[in-house]
Amino acid sequence: MTDLVIPVALPLAAAAVSAMLGRFPAARRVIGVGTLLATTAAAVDLLLSVSDGSVVVGHVGGWPWPLGITLVADPLAAIMVVVSSLMLLVVLVYAIGSPKTRDETGFFHPVYLILAAGVSLSFLTGDLFNLFVAFEVTLTASYVLITFGGDRLQVRHGVTYIVISLVASVLFLTAIALVYASTGTVNMADLSGKLGEVTPALRSGLGLLFLVVFGIKAAIFPLFFWLPDSYPVAPSPVTAIFAGLLTKIGVYAIIRSHTLLFSHGQPSRLLLVVAALTMLIGVLGAVAQDDVKRILSFHIVSQIGYMIFGLALFTLAGLAAAVFYIVHHIIVKTTLFLVAGLMEERAGTGALRRLSGLMHTAPVLAVLFLLPALSLAGVPPFSGFVAKLALIQAGFDAGAQVTVGVSLLVSALTLFSMTKIWAGAFWGDPMESDTIEPRRMPPLMVGATACLVVASLAFVAAAAPLYELGEVAARGLIDPSVYVTAVRGG
């Protein structure tokens, strides 16, 4: 129970303390890093306790199921909490070193910790209403962070982000009301049985409504249009954590709802089409861009398609590959956005037409970009290759050759767009110092980014046991009886 509560309650308590330390920035930094270290330790302990496929349940306040607030950790939820806690910790260290987020105003650290609590609650909650609350906590913090700095472009694109998020929230609340009116409960374990008693048409309609709600947050096709404009304008640490985590909350919610609440026990043609279009449209958008952050933002969309592909197959291999892919993508995508921030810090811009020759003037930065870029493109032996190979094999086994073909084409186009960044920013002659003055990269930013690059390489070295853990999580998704029984106290 303690390990379930710490990732949610500790960051909230720390945020309150941090907010009261407005005149002591060093204390805020110590509290932020210390809190996320403790959260990560609790998350790892939680994962160890469910790594055999078991489920840990806590009823907050002692209220009986299904009335009270239920926190649930199965292998998938625990994996997500561990990875998100690690990313939040590393990005906070990066943010402390970044001149744009050194928190002179006094509210970056409290808001960041509130975001951390919302992310953890999204993965651990066992009912739809508290999932809604978690989304709102996360979104409220993200509204502040995406406009941190307050320039005109950030505010303009931040408004788009806010409007789209509010529309998703209204739809989510409507869907919850319809579910409660139809079944009398919002507890997901309870709903897994009671939704089977409603008419097939109503169940399909509710499933589609939840797919739209979570699809907006995950940025799947055709609901992704808000993301490439909103994310690149935020400060680099904020963009990195948004890119790594926030869309994955949407993906997690889609996986959870389509395996626990609206499962049909067979491959979904609708999700296969959505996955293929998300992959393809996202990568075509990336190829057309000329700014590093915008290219990477379109790639977020494209890569979400691979995760939905694994879910759509609804096989043990497909879901295990999807879980593996999510973890790989969180690490690699966060790293690439941190590198993009370093490029801006070094050269003063992320526009490829104004960059050149960074390989000669900043070779460390070139290495930090090259390794995760090759992984994102799926080049052997990096983690992206292992994840895509697992998905392709699962796709062939399930007879989804068309989607497999699309995924291979998208992988080639991803490599092309990564080459575009390399050729534009790192290749060629060094920039002329009279037009762009090179600046020194803060060591803390470089160190945090290097840690994630090492983590992505370690991910490859430990691919076999990590994939086995993904299979354990997938078994719980294919057969949610252990989850349901644990929540019911059976």
Side-chain angles (χ1 to χ4, degrees), residues 38-272:
T39 301
T40 303
V44 170
D45 192 46
L46 189 62
L47 177 58
L48 291 175
S49 64
V50 300
S51 59
D52 59 350
S54 58
V55 177
V56 175
V57 180
H59 300 290
V60 179
W63 287 84
W65 172 89
L67 298 177
I69 299 174
T70 303
L71 298 179
V72 189
D74 65 348
L76 175 61
I79 289 170
M80 298 302 292
V81 176
V82 168
V83 179
S84 62
S85 299
L86 277 172
M87 294 303 108
L88 285 159
L89 174 61
V90 175
V91 173
L92 180 60
V93 173
Y94 180 98
I96 291 172
S98 172
K100 295 180 180 177
T101 49
R102 280 188 182 148
D103 198 17
E104 302 300 332
T105 60
F107 66 81
F108 179 83
H109 285 265
V111 175
Y112 191 84
L113 290 172
I114 292 172
L115 178 78
V119 169
S120 295
L121 182 60
S122 300
F123 297 135
L124 292 174
T125 183
D127 68 77
L128 289 175
F129 182 74
N130 281 297
L131 182 59
F132 171 79
V133 172
F135 278 9
E136 293 309 298
V137 170
T138 305
L139 289 173
T140 302
S142 65
Y143 297 156
V144 178
L145 292 175
I146 206 167
T147 55
F148 189 82
D151 70 34
R152 183 175 299 176
L153 191 63
Q154 283 179 264
V155 173
R156 183 156 63 87
H157 290 296
V159 169
T160 303
Y161 178 78
I162 291 169
V163 170
I164 296 300
S165 298
L166 288 176
V167 170
S169 297
V170 171
L171 287 175
F172 194 4
L173 206 54
T174 303
I176 292 173
L178 291 173
V179 165
Y180 188 75
S182 306
T183 63
T185 183
V186 292
N187 183 286
M188 288 192 276
D190 202 18
L191 280 171
S192 68
K194 290 187 175 178
L195 276 173
E197 299 170 3
V198 304
T199 63
L202 177 59
R203 188 164 183 254
S204 298
L206 290 171
L208 189 59
L209 184 55
F210 277 105
L211 179 61
V212 171
V213 171
F214 299 145
I216 292 174
K217 298 180 184 302
I220 63 173
F221 177 86
L223 307 167
F224 67 89
F225 55 91
W226 57 271
L227 190 149
D229 287 332
S230 301
Y231 279 12
V233 299
S236 295
V238 176
T239 306
I241 204 64
F242 282 15
L245 294 184
L246 293 197
T247 50
K248 309 310 176 301
I249 294 176
V251 173
Y252 171 85
I254 292 174
I255 292 176
R256 182 66 74 194
S257 59
H258 278 74
T259 54
L260 185 60
L261 307 181
F262 305 106
S263 171
H264 296 287
Q266 58 187 0
S268 167
R269 290 184 180 179
L270 172 63
L271 289 179
L272 283 173

Side-chain angles (χ1 to χ4, degrees), residues 241-311:
I241 204 64
F242 282 15
L245 294 184
L246 293 197
T247 50
K248 309 310 176 301
I249 294 176
V251 173
Y252 171 85
I254 292 174
I255 292 176
R256 182 66 74 194
S257 59
H258 278 74
T259 54
L260 185 60
L261 307 181
F262 305 106
S263 171
H264 296 287
Q266 58 187 0
S268 167
R269 290 184 180 179
L270 172 63
L271 289 179
L272 283 173
V273 172
V274 169
L277 290 174
T278 304
M279 283 189 271
L280 191 59
I281 301 301
V283 80
L284 290 177
V287 169
Q289 302 304 310
D290 189 45
D291 181 271
V292 175
K293 280 187 175 179
R294 284 189 65 81
I295 292 173
L296 296 177
S297 294
F298 272 99
H299 274 307
I300 297 172
V301 177
S302 176
Q303 303 293 305
I304 293 296
Y306 284 93
M307 303 165 204
I308 301 300
F309 179 27
L311 168 65

